[in-house]
Structure formats: structure tokens, C-alpha cells
Amino acid sequence: GAVVSQHPSWVICKSGTSVKIECRSLDFQATTMFWYRQFPKQSLMLMATSNEGSKATYEQGVEKDKFLINHASLTLSTLTVTSAHPEDSSFYICSAPRIREEQYFGPGTRLTVT
Amino acid sequence: RKEVEQDPGPFNVPEGATVAFNCTYSNSASQSFFWYRQDCRKEPKLLMSVYSSGNEDGRFTAQLNRASQYISLLIRDSKLSDSATYLCVVNRGGSYIPTFGRGTSLIVHP
């Protein structure tokens, strides 16, 4: 069964609004989680590393004030897309490393900004 | 040079064929390597980890060549259900941070 969940699975929002996406590890604790974005027919692009109890580490070119990450507990990380624009429309996926550093992925959230 | 490079394909093969993918990586300090499979509009799922000694899981064989900094995935007796994108993942040296290749598309036809 799934070991990482994401909510919501899809969301449509208006330009200028904010959207929060949750990522949960279901039967294990994750001090680190990763957030990715994937555009159609492209690979996953790592956006940031979410660290429980400390600030997230963002990849070069990712605006930390636009993509707010909060790792509130050992099983929950949230990504908030602030002041969303149509170009933010994408597939957002989270993952958490479990055993042997393998990543377990959430099912993804499809965001459409109109 | 990109951290992880893959031929995007597509590789178009008939059922029963053997197909091989390669992936090169730039960080010689990397220690962990994986192959993931991603179906259209779905999240990636772990196919297999890649160990120094190579490993096999049924029809799938993965190998690591540290000297040349590449990993490979061999699929024997291809099935229609093998059609997917295969992602090469290399953890940055000394960390859990995964770096993805752009993926190789495989299409298995009857």
C-alpha cells in the first residue's frame, strides 16, 4: 500500500490565490522530504528539501518566498504556492527517503491556475 | 554537463525483445543509484536499486560502472506492460538528495 500520501490530488485555483499541498508519510517518520515539479513530458525537477524542525533548502532558481515549505512534524510537510500564476500550473510531487535511501513518492498533485 | 543524463528515446521494441538503457552521472562521489519507473501522469515507483556488484530481479538487470560513471538497466523478454518512462536517479555524493535524469521512454508493441 501507499507509504506517502498527498492532498489534494488535483486543484484548480484562480490567479493570485494561494494553494497548500500536504505530503504525509503514512507508516514511518521522515525528517526529510523532497518537493518536485514536473511539466508535461519533462523529468522531475527538485524544488526543495524539506527539513523537520528547520528551514527548507531550496534549489537554485526556486523562489523561497513563492513556494513556502513547512515541515510541521515528522510525518507532514506542506508546500504552499503563493500568489499562483498560470505558469505555476504543473504536477507537484513529494517524496520521502525510507530504507536504503530509496525515495517513496506521493501520488502527486495536479495544479491548474486559471 | 548535467548531473544525470539519459537518452530520452523513445525506444520502440517488439514484445519479447531485450532492451538496454544507460545513464551517466557527473558526481564521482555519488554512492546510491536507482532505477524508477513512471507511468503517464503517475508518480515514479522504485524499480530497483543498483548495487556495485550488479543486481537482477526477474527480467530486469541493473549494473553500475563506477570507473566510467554510468549505470545500466537491461530488460529481457519485454512485455507490453513494460511500456513506461524509466528514470535514472543518483543521490548527490554523501547525501540523500536525489538527482533525476530526464527519463527514457520505452514503448513495447505487439
Side-chain angles (χ1 to χ4, degrees):
Chain A
V3 295
V4 176
S5 70
Q6 261 185 262
H7 177 81
S9 55
W10 60 270
V11 59
I12 301 173
C13 71
K14 291 186 177 180
S15 189
T17 61
S18 295
V19 174
K20 180 185 283 189
I21 303 170
E22 293 186 349
C23 176
R24 293 181 186 272
S25 57
L26 297 181
D27 60 355
F28 67 102
Q29 295 181 334
T31 55
T32 301
M33 290 183 177
F34 299 99
W35 286 97
Y36 312 83
R37 182 164 56 180
Q38 186 175 33
F39 293 106
K41 299 188 178 181
Q42 295 187 26
S43 188
L44 275 74
M45 186 187 77
L46 179 66
M47 299 175 67
T49 303
S50 174
N51 304 299
E52 189 271 335
S54 64
K55 291 182 180 180
T57 305
Y58 290 82
E59 294 296 300
Q60 192 171 11
V62 178
E63 300 173 58
K64 62 180 180 181
D65 294 330
K66 179 168 182 64
F67 299 99
L68 301 179
I69 291 173
N70 182 25
H71 202 130
S73 73
L74 287 169
T75 59
L76 173 64
S77 174
T78 60
L79 168 68
T80 301
V81 182
T82 63
S83 187
H85 291 286
E87 57 264 32
D88 297 324
S89 299
S90 187
F91 190 44
Y92 292 86
I93 311 178
C94 68
S95 75
R98 198 175 177 188
I99 51 176
R100 293 185 179 272
E101 303 174 21
E102 297 142 353
Q103 299 294 327
Y104 287 83
F105 288 85
T109 297
R110 199 159 298 279
L111 170 64
T112 302
V113 184
T114 60
Chain B
R1 182 183 175 186
K2 292 183 180 178
E3 290 185 78
V4 179
E5 294 202 62
Q6 286 181 260
D7 180 349
F11 285 63
N12 207 318
V13 303
E15 273 187 289
T18 295
V19 62
F21 309 136
N22 279 343
C23 164
T24 59
Y25 61 95
S26 61
N27 189 335
S28 59
S30 296
Q31 297 293 322
S32 303
F33 310 89
F34 310 92
W35 284 102
Y36 284 77
R37 170 195 170 126
Q38 185 175 27
D39 293 289
C40 188
R41 301 173 76 85
K42 298 280 191 179
E43 77 276 20
K45 293 191 185 295
L46 180 68
L47 182 62
M48 56 199 312
S49 303
V50 187
Y51 306 124
S52 296
S53 56
N55 47 308
E56 186 174 315
D57 183 2
R59 298 182 292 110
F60 299 86
T61 300
Q63 291 194 313
L64 167 64
N65 185 317
R66 286 190 186 274
S68 299
Q69 294 183 204
Y70 76 84
I71 66 174
S72 63
L73 177 68
L74 181 76
I75 305 176
R76 289 180 297 276
D77 189 23
S78 299
K79 312 289 184 191
L80 295 177
S81 57
D82 293 334
S83 298
T85 297
Y86 291 83
L87 300 170
C88 168
V89 180
V90 177
N91 283 7
R92 289 179 190 166
S95 78
Y96 284 113
I97 300 174
T99 307
F100 286 77
R102 62 177 296 182
T104 297
S105 175
L106 172 65
I107 302 170
V108 182
H109 59 82

